[in-house]
Amino acid sequence: MAYCGLDPSIYQSGKSKIESHISKRDNAHLRRIIWLMSVSVVIHNEYFREYFERKRAQGLPYKKAIMTVAHKLLRTMYAMLKKREGFALSTSE
C-alpha cells in the first residue's frame, strides 16, 4: 500500500491523531493504474461490485469507495501471489 501511495496519511499533534486521506507519497503512475483497475473491476466483477455497493450504502463517497476497492484488490492480488493461487468467486461444489 505504501509503495503505491495508498496508505493513510496521519496528522498527529499532541493527543489528537487524524487519518484523513491517502498519502500520495510514492509512485503516481502505479496509483493511477490501480485506480483504473479498481474502476474496471467494479464494472466487470460481481464480487468487487457488491463490495463497492456495500461501501456506498455505508455512506462513503464514490472516490473513497473506489479506494477501499483498490485496497481490497491489492490485498487480494498479494494473497494470490503469495499462495500461488488463482482468483475464484466461490468454492462451493
Side-chain angles (χ1 to χ4, degrees):
M1 298 294 171
Y3 180 73
C4 303
L6 295 177
D7 57 327
S9 66
I10 299 171
Y11 172 75
Q12 210 169 6
S13 177
K15 292 183 180 180
S16 65
K17 181 178 178 182
I18 301 169
E19 294 181 14
S20 59
H21 51 281
I22 61 174
S23 67
K24 297 184 182 179
R25 282 187 296 204
D26 285 317
N27 199 331
H29 298 292
L30 183 57
R31 192 169 44 255
R32 177 172 166 72
I33 290 168
I34 292 170
W35 172 270
L36 293 172
M37 286 171 49
S38 300
V39 170
S40 180
V41 81
V42 164
I43 294 170
H44 297 291
N45 188 293
E46 181 181 329
Y47 176 75
F48 287 100
R49 185 179 321 118
E50 288 174 2
Y51 182 76
F52 171 76
E53 289 171 356
R54 189 168 55 241
K55 291 299 178 182
R56 290 286 286 163
Q58 291 174 359
L60 285 180
Y62 176 80
K63 287 184 179 182
K64 284 192 178 185
I66 287 291
M67 291 315 298
T68 62
V69 171
H71 281 241
K72 187 163 191 74
L73 183 62
L74 283 176
R75 288 191 311 267
T76 303
M77 291 189 314
Y78 179 75
M80 288 170 48
L81 288 171
K82 190 173 180 180
K83 295 178 182 178
R84 297 181 184 211
E85 294 179 356
F87 181 75
L89 285 177
S90 63
T91 58
S92 62
E93 292 182 16

